[in-house]
């Protein structure tokens, strides 16, 4: 079977157009939220905590802020993108169209990851107005940005297929991902924690993603960069495997 580029492009373009129709929610709101984080964390806490690992606190939290938005927006864009066709019943038209499961995932996940990555760059540009930034490894920064956007878009796709209602659609991002992000070193270094709590925190997978992304900025992280890369690739592989299983079995797609 030949690759149906036209079908992939049609789904991708439709999903991207939806972001333009909800520009305020997709772009403006996260940017305003980021600015508020800088006012609260950078102003209130930063005035008392000047530096973390030799990095000014305002600059230190930038990678964590970007990751927080990247996680939530990737999941939201991908989960809603595939859930809405399920909700309206148009999923059957997509499944019966001459596009393979790989092409469907490529289109939905690609659109969600694109929107999230662009948003991450917008937040990075916004942060530059508040604090002086340096990116020691820009190639690694972009690699982490894209890989994490794709990975969490796959995760969001899984949630969108699994969810049977809008409540379930929002449950995991709100009750699982956001708390793990706040507890995963987004706004502090886990080296600041007591040894016991630091050991517990290392079981949080988000720690490795944030640490790797922060390393791309400042050349240092809470864990070794090799471990961060391995953890990110492992999470990507797990999500991809689950998505493939869902299409192979038709889990909540064909019933």
């Amino acid at each position: 079977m030949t690759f149906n580029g036209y079908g992939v492009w049609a789904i991708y373009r439709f999903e991207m157009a939806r972001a333009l129709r909800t520009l305020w929610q997709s772009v403006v709101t996260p940017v305003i939220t980021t600015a508020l984080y800088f006012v609260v964390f950078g102003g209130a806490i930063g005035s008392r905590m000047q530096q973390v690992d030799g990095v000014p606190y305002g600059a230190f939290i930038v990678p964590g802020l970007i990751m927080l938005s990247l996680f939530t927006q990737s999941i939201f864009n991908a989960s809603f993108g595939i859930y809405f066709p399920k909700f309206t019943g148009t999923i059957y038209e997509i499944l019966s169209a001459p596009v393979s499961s790989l092409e469907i995932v490529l289109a939905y996940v690609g659109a969600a990851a694109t929107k999230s990555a662009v948003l991450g760059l917008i937040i990075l540009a916004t942060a530059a107005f508040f604090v002086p930034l340096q990116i020691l490894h820009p190639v690694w920064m972009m690699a982490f940005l894209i890989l994490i956007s794709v990975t969490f878009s796959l995760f969001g796709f899984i949630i969108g297929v699994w969810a049977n209602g809008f409540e379930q659609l929002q449950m995991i991002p709100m009750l699982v991902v956001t708390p793990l992000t706040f507890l995963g070193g987004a706004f502090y270094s886990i080296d600041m924690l007591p040894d016991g709590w630091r050991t517990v925190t290392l079981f949080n997978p988000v720690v490795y993603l944030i640490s790797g992304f922060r390393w791309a900025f400042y050349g240092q992280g809470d864990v070794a960069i090799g471990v961060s890369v391995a953890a990110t690739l492992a999470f990507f592989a797990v999500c991809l495997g689950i998505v493939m299983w869902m299409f192979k079995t038709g889990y909540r797609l064909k019933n």
Side-chain angles (χ1 to χ4, degrees):
M1 182 179 178
T2 59
F3 180 76
N4 188 348
Y6 181 81
V8 172
W9 173 246
I11 298 174
Y12 178 89
R13 185 176 57 184
F14 177 82
E15 287 299 303
M16 293 301 294
R18 183 164 58 83
L20 296 177
R21 293 194 299 269
T22 58
L23 192 62
W24 180 270
Q25 180 181 358
S26 301
V27 176
V28 179
T29 300
V31 169
I32 294 177
T33 302
T34 301
L36 291 175
Y37 273 119
F38 274 110
V39 171
V40 175
F41 285 91
I45 300 178
S47 62
R48 294 169 173 80
M49 187 187 304
Q50 297 296 324
Q51 291 188 340
V52 179
D53 295 334
V55 180
Y57 184 73
F60 178 85
I61 66 174
V62 170
L65 282 174
I66 296 175
M67 286 292 99
L68 177 61
S69 296
L70 210 66
F71 296 159
T72 54
Q73 290 299 313
S74 295
I75 292 174
F76 172 78
N77 290 327
S79 61
F80 187 81
I82 191 61
Y83 176 79
F84 192 71
K86 284 179 52 186
F87 179 74
T88 59
T90 55
I91 186 66
Y92 301 109
E93 298 177 5
I94 297 173
L95 293 175
S96 61
V99 287
S100 66
S101 57
L102 175 62
E103 292 163 350
I104 293 173
V105 173
L106 185 63
Y108 279 108
V109 171
T114 300
K115 289 183 280 188
S116 301
V118 169
L119 178 62
L121 294 176
I122 291 174
I123 292 176
L124 179 62
T126 303
F129 287 100
F130 293 89
V131 293
L133 291 176
Q134 61 172 335
I135 305 176
L136 297 180
H137 308 285
V139 175
W140 275 103
M141 188 275 290
M142 287 301 302
F144 267 107
L145 186 73
I146 294 172
L147 179 59
I148 293 174
S149 296
V150 172
T151 300
F152 272 80
S153 294
L154 282 170
F155 186 45
F157 190 92
I158 294 169
I159 294 174
V161 173
W162 164 79
N164 280 327
F166 287 100
E167 295 81 8
Q168 290 184 342
L169 205 62
Q170 299 175 2
M171 181 175 65
I172 293 180
M174 292 181 61
L175 298 182
V176 178
V177 176
T178 299
L180 286 180
T181 304
F182 276 93
L183 297 173
F187 303 109
Y188 59 89
S189 171
I190 65 171
D191 290 333
M192 301 166 64
L193 300 174
D195 290 340
W197 280 111
R198 187 182 187 280
T199 301
V200 173
T201 303
L202 290 175
F203 287 94
N204 180 355
V206 174
V207 167
Y208 302 92
L209 278 63
I210 295 176
S211 176
F213 193 63
R214 182 172 286 128
W215 174 89
F217 279 76
Y218 308 119
Q220 56 188 0
D222 292 323
V223 296
I225 181 60
V227 178
S228 293
V229 172
T232 306
L233 291 175
F235 189 30
F236 170 79
V238 169
C239 290
L240 185 61
I242 294 175
V243 169
M244 293 174 61
W245 171 81
M246 283 179 162
F247 274 98
K248 184 177 180 179
T249 61
Y251 175 80
R252 295 196 176 180
L253 284 169
K254 299 179 180 179
N255 51 49

